[in-house]
Amino acid sequence: MARVGAITAASALLAGVLLVQWLPRLPPHWSLALLLLAAGLLAWRCPRWRWLAWLLFGIVWAAWRGGVAMDARLPRALEGRDFVVVGTIADLPLAHPDASRFTLRVEQATLDGQPVALRGRVTVSWYDGAPPLRPCSRWRLSLRLKRPRGLLDPGGADSERSALERGIVATGYVRDDPGNAPLAGARWCVDGVRDAVARGIAARVRDRHDAALLQAFTVGDTRGLQQQDWAVARANGVSHLIAISGFHVGVAAVFGVWLALLAYALWPRLGLWLPRPQAQAAAALLVAAMYSALAGFGLPTVRTLLMIAVVALARCSRRGSSGAQSLALAMIAILLVDPLAVLAAGFWLSFVGVAFLMLCLQSRGRGLRAFLHELSAGQLVMTVALLPLTLWFFGQASLVGALSNLIAVPVVSFVIVPCALLGMLLLGLCPPLAAPVLWLAARIAHAQWWLLEQMATWPGAHWYLPAVQAHALLLAVLGALWLFLPRGVPLRGFGLLLFLPLLWPPLPRPAEGAFQVWVLDVGQGLSVLLRTR
C-alpha cells in the first residue's frame, strides 16, 4: 500500500468496481480467474503497475460479489409460493394503521416441508392487525415471496438496484396461518438498543412531533416522521442530519477526546502506563464506534468512523496520516467490505463532499473565528459541490441549503444530540434529571424545525430540473472544483459556465407529424403521456 499510495490504490480500486457496473452482464468465472492471476503477477513483479493490479482486483471483486448477491435472490420458479420462514427482525419495524413493515434476516426456510436455500434479508409487510414487533425478536412466519423488482417508469427510483445494494433477496407479505408465532432465543442487538432509546424519548417528551425529531436526530429512528417532515428536510437540504450525518460521529469522537483529557486530569498517574495522545485516540475511536452503532451504521457514519480509525491507529503507532490518506483508506475499506456500496447515493455524496472540503477549504489556524469561517465556508462548498450529484440522484435540489445547514448543523450536532444522549444517560444514573434535559432538547428541536418550515417556503427551496445527463454531471463537478480553487487562480468565476448544461439540457423533440407515447405504471392503474413536436 505504501509503495503505491493510498490515494492511487483507492482511485484504481474504485475505477475497477465502477467498470463492472457498466457491463451488460457479469463476466464468466474463468475470465475473473485470469484477471485475478494477472493482478497478482503485476503486484508481485511490476511495482510501477500496481495501480493496474488494484484496478483488476476491483473488477474481479465487484463481479464476484455482484454474482453472489444476484444468485442469492429468490429463484423465479419459486415466486408466488408460500414459505415457512424462521428469522430475526432486523432494523426498526415500521408500524402503520393498515400494515407493519419490517426486514427479516432469514435463518431457515422451507417450502412444502422441504428446506430451501434462501439466505439473506427479506422485506415483509404484515397486514390486518399485526402484533407488536420488536427488533432482535425471532419469528416463525408463513410468507408469500417474490423477487425484488420495481417499476420501470422514467425518472423513478430503481427499487431493484436499491434491494441489491441493501442485500434484499426477496419481498413479500405474511399469510394468515396459525403457525405464525414468536420464538424463543431472541438475542441482544444494536437495533434493540436503538429501539429502547427511541421508546424512552417518546415516553418522556409529550409532543409527539418533537419526540419524533429527537428520535431521528439521536438514533436515526425516522418512524415518527411524516411526508411533510421529509418535504421540509429536502427543501432545506438537511436530510443528512435526520439520517445521522458523519459530522455527528466526529462530534462523538471529540467527546471521547474530552473524556480522556478529564481522566488524565483526575488521575495524572495514568500517563505512567499509557501516553495521553494514544489514550485520546483510543477514546475517540471507542466513543465514535459506540455512537455509529447507536445510529445504525449508516454509510456516512461508517465512512467517518473508518477515517477516525485510520487517524487513531496512526496516532497509536506514532505515524503521521493526512486527511486525504484517511479518506482514501476509508474508501478502500468500504469497497473491500461491500463493493456494491457504489450503488447507493450516500456513497457518492459522502466521499465527494468530504473530498471537496479537503481540496477547497484552507485552514486559517485555530480559534473561534477560524472555526466559524470553516463552518460557513464549508456549507457553501458542500451546497455547490454536491448540487450536480443531488440533481443526478434525486432530480431536485435546494438553493437555501447552505443557509439552512449553517443554522441546523451546529444546533443539531452540538446542542440537540448531546442533550438527548445526556438525557438518556441520566435515565440510568439519575432519572429525575433526565426529564428537564430531554425537555430542553425537545424545545430547541421544536424551534429549529419551525424555522426550517418557514425557510422551506422561500423561493428556490424546491428546485426541480430535467434528468441530468452524464456529460452534464461531469462538467458541473469540474466547474465546482474550478470555482473553489485557491485564490490567485485566474478566471475562477468561469467555473459557473460549466453548470449551464444542467440548466439547459438538450431537448430532442419528435419530428413534424410524429409523436411519442409513454405508458406509466402508477400503482393502481396506468397513465399515458403523449408528446408531439
Side-chain angles (χ1 to χ4, degrees), residues 165-505:
E165 182 264 326
R166 295 185 295 124
I168 302 298
V169 299
T171 63
Y173 61 93
V174 178
R175 300 279 289 171
D176 290 333
D177 191 289
N180 295 335
L183 301 176
R187 300 177 180 177
W188 176 89
C189 68
V190 173
D191 290 321
V193 177
R194 296 174 63 202
D195 183 67
V197 171
R199 286 187 283 111
I201 292 175
R204 289 162 180 84
V205 177
R206 294 182 179 180
D207 189 279
R208 295 182 60 185
H209 186 256
D210 292 347
L213 291 176
L214 286 186
Q215 292 167 344
F217 290 143
T218 307
V219 294
D221 181 4
T222 60
R223 294 176 293 180
L225 299 180
Q226 306 299 320
Q227 290 298 325
Q228 178 62 26
D229 297 319
W230 288 108
V232 171
R234 288 192 296 268
N236 288 277
V238 297
S239 299
H240 61 98
L241 292 178
I242 294 178
I244 305 296
S245 69
F247 191 71
H248 293 172
V249 182
V251 173
V254 172
F255 183 68
V257 173
W258 290 348
L259 287 179
L261 285 174
L262 179 62
Y264 276 75
L266 295 176
W267 298 287
R269 294 181 62 85
L270 290 175
L272 298 176
W273 291 279
L274 180 64
R276 191 178 66 181
Q278 282 70 31
Q280 289 176 331
L285 179 58
L286 177 61
V287 176
M290 293 173 60
Y291 184 71
S292 298
L294 193 63
F297 283 118
L299 188 59
T301 62
V302 171
R303 183 261 303 161
T304 306
L305 178 61
L306 289 173
M307 291 183 65
I308 294 172
V310 170
V311 175
L313 291 175
R315 179 66 62 89
C316 291
S317 59
R318 295 179 171 83
R319 299 182 61 181
S321 177
S322 66
Q325 288 177 326
S326 300
L327 185 65
L329 290 173
M331 177 180 289
I332 291 174
I334 288 179
L335 292 178
L336 290 180
V337 172
D338 183 16
L340 296 178
V342 298
L343 299 176
F347 176 89
W348 298 100
L349 296 174
S350 180
F351 280 100
V352 171
V354 174
F356 261 94
L357 289 177
M358 291 180 177
L359 288 172
C360 302
L361 284 188
Q362 298 178 349
S363 176
R364 298 201 174 189
R366 298 181 179 180
L368 179 61
R369 184 176 180 180
F371 172 76
L372 293 177
H373 172 267
E374 292 182 359
L375 182 63
S376 57
Q379 299 308 322
L380 177 61
V381 169
M382 291 286 282
T383 300
V384 177
L386 296 182
L387 176 64
L389 283 173
T390 304
L391 292 173
W392 171 270
F393 285 112
F394 308 114
Q396 70 176 79
S398 172
L399 298 183
V400 302
L403 181 59
S404 301
N405 279 274
L406 186 60
I407 299 172
V409 167
V411 172
V412 171
S413 300
F414 295 117
V415 181
I416 296 177
V417 171
C419 284
L421 292 179
L422 177 60
M424 299 311 301
L425 182 63
L426 289 174
L427 286 177
L429 301 178
C430 185
L433 295 178
V437 174
L438 290 176
W439 176 86
L440 176 63
R443 298 311 300 169
I444 296 174
H446 181 92
Q448 178 191 254
W449 199 257
W450 176 86
L451 180 60
L452 293 178
E453 288 177 334
Q454 306 309 308
M455 298 177 70
T457 62
W458 291 4
H462 295 277
W463 191 37
Y464 298 93
L465 285 177
V468 178
Q469 305 295 321
H471 69 277
L473 172 67
L474 179 60
L475 289 175
V477 171
L478 293 177
L481 182 60
W482 188 4
L483 190 64
F484 290 110
L485 286 175
R487 292 182 179 181
V489 177
L491 304 176
R492 288 192 306 164
F494 279 73
L496 291 174
L497 297 178
L498 297 181
F499 282 80
L500 292 180
L502 290 177
L503 305 178
W504 287 285

Side-chain angles (χ1 to χ4, degrees), residues 60-81:
V60 174
W61 181 237
W64 182 75
R65 286 293 300 270
V68 170
M70 296 184 71
D71 291 340
R73 295 180 299 178
L74 181 71
R76 296 184 187 275
L78 300 181
E79 285 190 299
R81 307 283 296 276

